[in-house]
Amino acid sequence: MSDASLSQEHHTFPPDPAFTAQANGTAQMYAAADADFEGFWAQQARDRVSWATGFEQTLDWSGAPFAKWYVGGRLNAAYNCVDRHVEAGNGDRVAIHFEGEPGDTRTITYADLQREVCKAANALESLGVGKGDTVAIYLPMIPEAVVAMLACARIGAPHSVVFGGFSADALNTRINDAKSRVVITSDGGYRRGAPSALKPAVDAALAAGENPVEKVVVVRRTGQDVAWDDTRDVWWHDVVDRASDEHEAQPHDAEDPLFILYTSGTTGKPKGIFHTTGGYLVQAAYTSSVVHDVHPETDVYWCTADIGWVTGHSYIVYGPLAVGATQLMYEGTPDTPHRGRWWELIEKYKVSILYTAPTAVRTFMKWGHDIPEKFDLSSLRLLGSVGEPINPEAWLWYRKWIGGDRCPVVDTWWQTETGTIMISPLAGVTTLEPGSAQRPIPGIAAEILDDEGQPFTEADKVGYLVLTKPWPSMLRGIWGDPERYKETYWSRFGPKYYFAGDGAKYDADGNIWLLGRVDDVMNVSGHRLSTAEIESALVSHPKVAEAAVVGASDETTGQAVAAFVILRQDAVQEADEPGEGVDLVKELRNHVAKEIGPIAKPRSIMIVSELPKTRSGKIMRRLLKDVAEGRDIGDVTTLADSSVMNLIQEGMSARSE
Ligand code: PRX
């Protein structure tokens, strides 16, 4: 079958009976959860997590939309992810096979991990970190990131991991919002064959103004020179290596915060989504088991996400470690030193479960299947997808060329807010429909609503995805802003429905198809970016008067950032000089990278004299999206000045000539 013909027919894939026979997820689970929702989740909690004190009530929804799960229960997340596996006699099992980008490797068993986490917990305590203090973690993909997160969890100090690709400014905002007293970082990491620095961003973030930071712990990863503040900075190897490797894990309340993770919303200010301990850990362990089908004795699992995103939190740290999995952790990019690097790693470590994003799959498609074909990928038995809709072509390619025409592909829909997987097929149960996340997993309830907020089940009608019942790993709020939590998620369709912000439809078989965001949030390579955040970054540049940003569809990255800016008067004249406009666009792109991070750099910036606005002054992003995607503009009668669009469209076609 050629790649082109892969997508011509409608293929579905029933479960392979051999897979079903060994699968953790079963058809009975759907029935059990439907019959007794709370009983089902109580059972998951007892089966999958070790409690120091059992819970008295499974769910308290009396303060909706603020949920309490496993009321009265006490547990320690780090104990659950590490110590109990050692106590069960599995201390010699590899927890993490680490592969650095330059090819350096480390093998960390559960017993090693226990020692490392205990030392780090002792070190953090010696620096004054106690229960309830937040710790910012700004690290590359190295094992210390996992150790640092678990050490915080052990102490009961919520971690706030900031993706290493975010700028000093973004780090500063997050440190201040979470009031982090300690930052854990490194001198740098390896990226595309060279060391890249991280500590200077921390220094800049802390130099930018008042902040609550007392100590900065620095991991030595690359050995590059770093500026040093003797009163503030300490080396990880000085404080952690010297600490005792014994640390008693105290139980925490099921509802004690476990972490804060910032994500983009519809306004310029990122939201600190926070998760608590019990419910989050239960659903992380449950989904690692039933969706990823992890069999800890035999599988080698690999989630390619960065620890700075929720996927890294739930499916590198808490889920796989709670179930006692052996996993691969890789520092670098897929094309360093060559485009077969991932496949080489799968062959080397005999990876059996791979969890990645559609944007990666589409990139590999572009590079050609002859690259993965050179490697032995026969160890793989399940493939997962996350972060954005996976188009059927990419799904089929993934199954065929990576999964050897035998591995099931599970497309998993969820969000930072949901904490863990919500909608996904179960590989041993569901007949797979390429391109669709299919249906809520057992214990989860979703519907699609129309504009009036009425649920419907007709096929091919587009509506809004909502979740209709609370779930254990649901966000407990937005850090420091309970009102914004209610408003953002529980008001669009009334207090009964959690509004996810995604469009969705059913097909004729009742499968759910996710159709992307319906708000001003973009999804670029599976990363969430807000149009408002990039717009405010652009207008913070002295030459910019006004900016509008839209997500334009992009073959590889799903969406790409397209910006339209109006310059201030003095800058207009400058930009009219020959060649200046090009430099200015470059300057603005770099400015966005500095304000937010390189991932937010617009793919295109168009300098315009006006933006299309309604008579009430609202920017009509829909029209800009049409322009950025090269479509003819439709109805412009609601515009205050309809000639604006002609000018913009002319400018756009002049550029592409
Ligand atoms: O639009 C949906 C998309 O990613 C958003 C959540 O982004 P974030 O909080 O960064 O979490 C990403 C990793 C879980 C969702 O609102 N999304 C995520 N997974 C899928 C998806 N869209 C379609 N299909 C998916 N499988």
Side-chain angles (χ1 to χ4, degrees):
M1 195 167 30
S2 75
D3 282 1
S5 68
L6 273 176
S7 57
Q8 312 245 302
E9 288 165 47
H10 183 193
H11 293 272
T12 57
F13 299 88
D16 173 353
F19 194 102
T20 307
Q22 59 80 60
N24 295 327
T26 64
Q28 291 77 5
M29 286 179 165
Y30 291 100
D34 284 347
D36 179 5
F37 174 73
E38 288 190 29
F40 176 81
W41 282 118
Q43 196 60 45
Q44 298 312 320
R46 290 191 192 102
D47 291 352
R48 301 183 189 282
V49 162
S50 302
W51 299 84
T53 309
F55 51 93
E56 289 144 19
Q57 189 185 356
T58 306
L59 167 66
D60 176 2
W61 192 228
S62 60
F66 296 92
K68 289 192 178 125
W69 281 87
Y70 308 121
V71 182
R74 296 183 73 77
L75 75 166
N76 188 292
Y79 171 83
N80 270 277
C81 289
V82 184
D83 304 53
R84 65 168 173 159
H85 305 312
V86 179
E87 287 171 14
N90 294 319
D92 291 341
R93 181 186 298 161
V94 174
I96 300 173
H97 289 292
F98 171 71
E99 177 100 13
E101 200 189 73
D104 55 319
T105 62
R106 281 163 71 182
T107 307
I108 300 166
T109 65
Y110 274 94
D112 296 333
L113 191 59
Q114 184 183 34
R115 282 188 289 272
E116 290 303 313
V117 172
C118 286
K119 282 186 188 182
N122 283 321
L124 287 175
E125 283 181 342
S126 75
L127 296 174
V129 177
K131 183 166 170 149
D133 293 333
T134 64
V135 175
I137 298 177
Y138 186 65
L139 281 171
M141 283 292 289
I142 53 176
E144 284 79 0
V146 180
V147 171
M149 288 165 76
L150 291 172
C152 289
R154 197 173 186 94
I155 299 172
H159 50 72
S160 165
V161 180
V162 180
F163 173 56
F166 275 128
S167 67
D169 288 346
L171 178 61
N172 171 291
T173 315
R174 286 156 175 78
I175 286 173
N176 281 313
D177 191 79
K179 302 191 176 56
S180 301
R181 295 177 51 198
V182 168
V183 181
I184 305 178
T185 188
S186 71
D187 49 0
Y190 292 94
R191 200 97 197 128
R192 298 194 192 283
S196 79
L198 218 46
K199 171 117 186 331
V202 177
D203 294 335
L206 300 183
E210 250 186 71
N211 60 73
V213 174
E214 291 159 20
K215 289 286 170 200
V216 175
V217 185
V218 188
V219 177
R220 182 137 67 202
R221 167 67 183 136
T222 59
Q224 60 203 311
D225 281 341
V226 288
W228 204 255
D229 175 341
D230 280 330
T231 58
R232 188 195 67 191
D233 300 343
V234 290
W235 284 110
W236 171 280
H237 56 257
D238 280 339
V239 289
V240 174
D241 291 0
R242 284 193 204 133
S244 155
D245 61 10
E246 279 176 29
H247 181 278
E248 180 127 15
Q250 298 299 325
H252 303 296
D253 191 275
E255 284 298 337
D256 280 344
L258 180 63
F259 67 84
I260 309 168
L261 184 58
Y262 287 84
T263 190
S264 298
T266 50
T267 70
K269 189 171 179 269
K271 299 178 284 197
I273 302 299
F274 85 92
H275 285 280
T276 57
T277 310
Y280 173 81
L281 196 67
V282 168
Q283 200 174 328
Y286 164 68
T287 47
S288 277
S289 178
V290 304
V291 179
H292 290 143
D293 196 45
V294 173
H295 292 257
E297 303 79 16
T298 46
D299 277 314
V300 178
Y301 164 92
W302 184 20
C303 166
T304 66
D306 190 282
I307 223 119
W309 308 107
V310 74
T311 308
H313 282 56
S314 304
Y315 298 110
I316 294 177
V317 184
Y318 293 105
L321 295 178
V323 302
T326 294
Q327 68 177 312
L328 169 63
M329 181 178 190
Y330 173 54
E331 181 186 27
T333 53
D335 54 355
T336 308
H338 57 79
R339 288 179 166 184
R341 187 67 193 271
W342 279 20
W343 322 124
E344 182 180 71
L345 290 172
I346 288 175
E347 179 179 298
K348 174 173 173 188
Y349 292 100
K350 302 200 166 32
V351 171
S352 54
I353 301 169
L354 175 66
Y355 193 38
T356 194
T359 189
V361 175
R362 290 191 294 263
T363 302
F364 297 132
M365 277 175 86
K366 224 165 45 185
W367 290 350
H369 60 73
D370 50 317
I371 300 177
E373 253 185 323
K374 292 193 191 101
F375 298 87
D376 177 6
L377 306 181
S378 61
S379 54
L380 286 170
R381 64 177 199 87
L382 180 131
L383 305 175
S385 173
V386 60
E388 49 178 324
I390 179 162
N391 46 312
E393 297 72 27
W395 193 106
L396 291 162
W397 188 94
Y398 191 26
R399 183 180 183 281
K400 180 173 168 63
W401 295 108
I402 308 305
D405 257 340
R406 77 186 173 273
C407 298
V409 176
V410 290
D411 174 15
T412 63
W413 177 90
W414 57 292
Q415 310 176 294
T416 307
E417 291 88 341
T418 71
T420 63
I421 295 168
M422 303 292 283
I423 303 179
S424 169
L426 297 186
V429 180
T430 319
T431 291
L432 301 174
E433 172 72 52
S436 166
Q438 303 201 264
R439 63 182 285 200
I441 59 170
I444 300 301
E447 296 211 60
I448 304 179
L449 306 184
D450 64 18
D451 282 320
E452 274 70 56
Q454 294 305 313
F456 65 83
T457 52
E458 290 115 281
D460 295 324
K461 176 171 156 180
V462 175
Y464 305 93
L465 181 75
V466 293
L467 301 168
T468 56
K469 281 187 185 160
W471 61 100
S473 67
M474 67 195 289
L475 74 162
R476 298 304 194 264
I478 295 177
W479 197 248
D481 201 347
E483 269 314 302
R484 191 175 173 197
Y485 164 67
K486 279 205 230 170
E487 241 171 67
T488 311
Y489 304 105
W490 300 94
S491 67
R492 172 74 171 81
F493 296 108
K496 273 184 15 201
Y497 295 117
Y498 169 90
F499 172 48
D502 279 27
K505 64 169 192 182
Y506 293 107
D507 66 16
D509 299 318
N511 292 307
I512 296 176
W513 290 70
L514 278 313
L515 303 172
R517 303 288 306 190
V518 294
D519 51 12
D520 294 330
V521 172
M522 295 169 291
N523 192 327
V524 179
S525 299
H527 298 152
R528 239 165 104 166
L529 297 170
S530 117
T531 52
E533 205 178 342
I534 300 177
E535 285 165 4
S536 58
L538 283 165
V539 294
S540 74
H541 189 282
K543 290 182 184 160
V544 175
E546 215 181 325
V549 165
V550 295
S553 58
D554 182 284
E555 245 182 51
T556 308
T557 59
Q559 283 189 313
V561 180
F564 298 82
V565 300
I566 302 180
L567 297 179
R568 285 173 193 267
Q569 202 46 47
D570 42 348
V572 173
Q573 279 138 18
E574 241 178 75
D576 281 345
E577 306 283 322
E580 288 299 320
V582 178
D583 285 348
L584 182 59
V585 164
K586 209 165 136 197
E587 188 179 323
L588 294 179
R589 292 183 75 231
N590 290 338
H591 180 71
V592 173
K594 182 189 154 286
E595 290 286 308
I596 304 174
I599 44 162
K601 260 189 187 180
R603 179 186 66 182
S604 65
I605 296 183
M606 192 180 168
I607 296 170
V608 295
S609 53
E610 289 292 339
L611 286 168
K613 288 189 183 153
T614 60
R615 289 182 192 102
S616 60
K618 207 170 154 345
I619 294 176
M620 291 193 68
R621 287 208 176 69
R622 180 181 58 82
L623 294 179
L624 294 175
K625 208 168 143 82
D626 284 344
V627 172
E629 291 175 356
R631 266 192 308 277
D632 276 340
I633 317 161
D635 184 11
V636 293
T637 49
T638 51
L639 280 180
D641 173 4
S642 57
S643 62
V644 169
M645 281 320 290
N646 293 335
L647 286 175
I648 292 180
Q649 204 162 34
E650 273 165 25
M652 206 68 180
S653 53
R655 266 169 28 121
S656 51
E657 270 157 21

